Amino acid sequence: MKNIFTITLTTIALIAVNAISDSDTTDQSELDRYIWFNTQGMYDVNVPNDVIHELITNGIQHENQEIVDCTIDAMAMHIGGTFVARRHDKEVDLNRDLRHKKEWYDTLIKMWDDNWNGVFPEETVPDDFIERIEHNTGCIYTLPTWPALPQMLAYMYPQDEKVYEIIWDAYPIPQEPIRDGKITDESNPLPLLRALFDGGFNNEKDQQFRIDILLNRETSYPTAQFAARSLGDFRSDEALEQLATRLEKSDYKYGTPKLEFIEAIMKYEAQAQPYIPLLKKSINNIMKVGSFDPELYATLKERLVHFEEKYGEKRLEVDEVEQPER
């Protein structure tokens, strides 16, 4: 009896050890898959979107926090990496079709609500960060990963009211009136500008924020470019007037990115007719130095010719003559 009992205990122990070993192997295998997803899979054109979507669905609600972090970071990096193309109305090289996925919405919103306490935490990197990069032994991210959620949500769920509340709550808004030049780029308006842009938000306070950034005499060149681009896409009468005002003046600390301002004003089509002389004068006086974009310059130069043909005073006079009597 004793020997049978001992054998039985030994057998149970071996089964338990094997079960633990198999479980560990499975867990490690799954983590390895998400390391691959984070570092390679998301960016591999040969990996179809349905595979990516399945990984995201499982990853964002996984019990292993490292897998959650791998997933959030991969999503954030992809969305961030395609932002420049979206900003310039260009096709992205690899579109993972992450927008409007209702099955992820509740999980991501809850993740934000569970973590946000009014302050963004300091970012850290894993202790073995360099080893991860050199030997592909782990996901490449900064911790925590959840602060990336507002930007992600704005892109993934445009026009959503809850997301709108999140981005306005998350990003610091200057408390002083920046029209007086009291706020510098240390207030970092770019995250909110980007979130409003990606989310397609154009409420009155959104437009006012863009205009205030535009008129701040200490707004940096790239921020002014983006503010102008946003005011061209999300049009309003006041925005058009302020774009023209800024284009005409030269007393700004970092100058005015004239090409982007000209492009934004032309998006107003017939409304911009009174500013055609200003547009022509501005494009002819552009200094071809620094961040000058020769391709955009040539495009706008040609477009302005057609713009004047369409909306110039001679064209308007012809239209008035041709109007039938009522």
Side-chain angles (χ1 to χ4, degrees):
M1 278 300 284
K2 184 178 179 181
N3 289 338
I4 294 175
F5 183 71
T6 302
I7 292 171
T8 302
L9 287 177
T10 303
T11 303
I12 292 173
L14 286 172
I15 291 173
V17 169
N18 287 335
I20 293 172
S21 177
D22 289 344
S23 175
D24 289 346
T25 301
T26 301
D27 289 346
Q28 184 58 47
S29 177
E30 189 169 19
L31 178 56
D32 287 342
R33 190 175 188 219
Y34 276 90
I35 292 172
W36 164 83
F37 168 56
N38 176 273
T39 58
Q40 300 175 54
M42 180 62 102
Y43 317 104
D44 189 335
V45 295
N46 297 312
V47 180
N49 282 355
D50 58 349
V51 172
I52 297 299
H53 294 171
E54 182 181 357
L55 284 163
I56 291 173
T57 299
N58 295 329
I60 59 176
Q61 52 192 350
H62 205 281
E63 60 184 12
N64 185 334
Q65 184 60 43
E66 188 166 2
I67 287 178
V68 175
D69 289 332
C70 287
T71 307
I72 295 298
D73 179 80
M75 296 169 72
M77 291 300 291
H78 170 72
I79 292 171
T82 61
F83 171 66
V84 173
R86 295 195 302 277
R87 178 172 166 175
H88 294 286
D89 283 334
K90 296 181 179 179
E91 292 292 327
V92 299
D93 294 332
L94 179 59
N95 185 354
R96 286 306 188 185
D97 191 24
L98 302 185
R99 301 190 103 184
H100 309 293
K101 299 299 180 185
K102 294 181 179 179
E103 63 269 29
W104 303 335
Y105 180 86
D106 289 341
T107 301
L108 295 175
I109 292 291
K110 185 177 186 302
M111 190 183 300
W112 173 259
D113 287 341
D114 287 347
N115 285 283
W116 178 244
N117 62 0
V119 179
F120 279 114
E122 289 188 17
E123 293 182 343
T124 62
V125 297
D127 294 336
D128 60 344
F129 190 71
I130 301 301
E131 182 181 347
R132 292 183 180 209
I133 295 175
E134 292 179 345
H135 303 291
N136 203 28
T137 56
C139 295
I140 310 301
Y141 50 50
T142 57
L143 293 172
T145 56
W146 61 263
L149 286 170
Q151 295 290 351
M152 291 169 51
L153 290 167
Y155 170 75
M156 295 171 67
Y157 305 106
Q159 297 291 303
D160 183 85
E161 291 184 9
K162 173 65 175 176
V163 172
Y164 185 67
E165 293 175 4
I166 287 174
I167 63 175
W168 269 100
D169 186 39
Y171 296 121
I173 307 303
Q175 298 300 309
E176 297 289 339
I178 59 180
R179 287 176 187 264
D180 298 332
K182 296 177 182 178
I183 300 298
T184 67
D185 272 358
E186 292 177 359
S187 61
N188 194 17
L190 281 172
L192 182 56
L193 279 173
R194 174 184 156 184
L196 292 172
F197 175 83
D198 266 349
F201 297 111
N202 193 32
N203 297 312
E204 185 176 347
K205 71 175 181 178
D206 309 330
Q207 279 288 56
Q208 190 59 58
F209 176 70
R210 295 174 179 124
I211 290 171
D212 286 343
I213 295 298
L214 185 79
L215 297 182
N216 176 15
R217 281 177 159 68
E218 297 194 8
T219 293
S220 69
Y221 209 86
T223 305
Q225 285 177 319
F226 193 16
R229 167 62 198 274
S230 298
L231 291 169
D233 287 352
F234 304 102
R235 294 178 286 279
S236 74
D237 291 342
E238 184 185 1
L240 175 58
E241 181 182 347
Q242 300 300 352
L243 280 165
T245 297
R246 170 81 193 259
L247 179 60
E248 197 169 16
K249 294 182 177 180
S250 59
D251 57 341
Y252 285 79
K253 183 174 181 179
Y254 298 102
T256 297
K258 293 182 181 294
L259 288 178
E260 286 76 7
F261 277 61
I262 291 169
E263 183 178 36
I265 291 171
M266 289 174 65
K267 288 182 179 180
Y268 285 76
E269 298 293 336
Q271 282 183 273
Q273 187 274 335
Y275 302 109
I276 289 177
L278 172 63
L279 297 177
K280 293 171 63 178
K281 176 183 176 182
S282 299
I283 203 165
N284 288 329
N285 292 336
I286 287 176
M287 297 182 64
K288 301 177 178 62
V289 295
S291 60
F292 173 75
D293 184 341
E295 184 178 345
L296 179 58
Y297 174 77
T299 300
L300 290 179
K301 189 93 171 174
E302 181 179 355
R303 192 184 301 170
L304 189 53
V305 172
H306 299 297
F307 192 85
E308 185 175 18
E309 290 175 354
K310 186 175 182 179
Y311 298 118
E313 290 184 4
K314 290 183 180 180
R315 177 70 240 177
L316 291 179
E317 289 172 2
V318 171
D319 288 343
E320 289 174 3
V321 171
E322 291 178 352
Q323 288 297 322
E325 294 183 4
R326 302 198 179 192

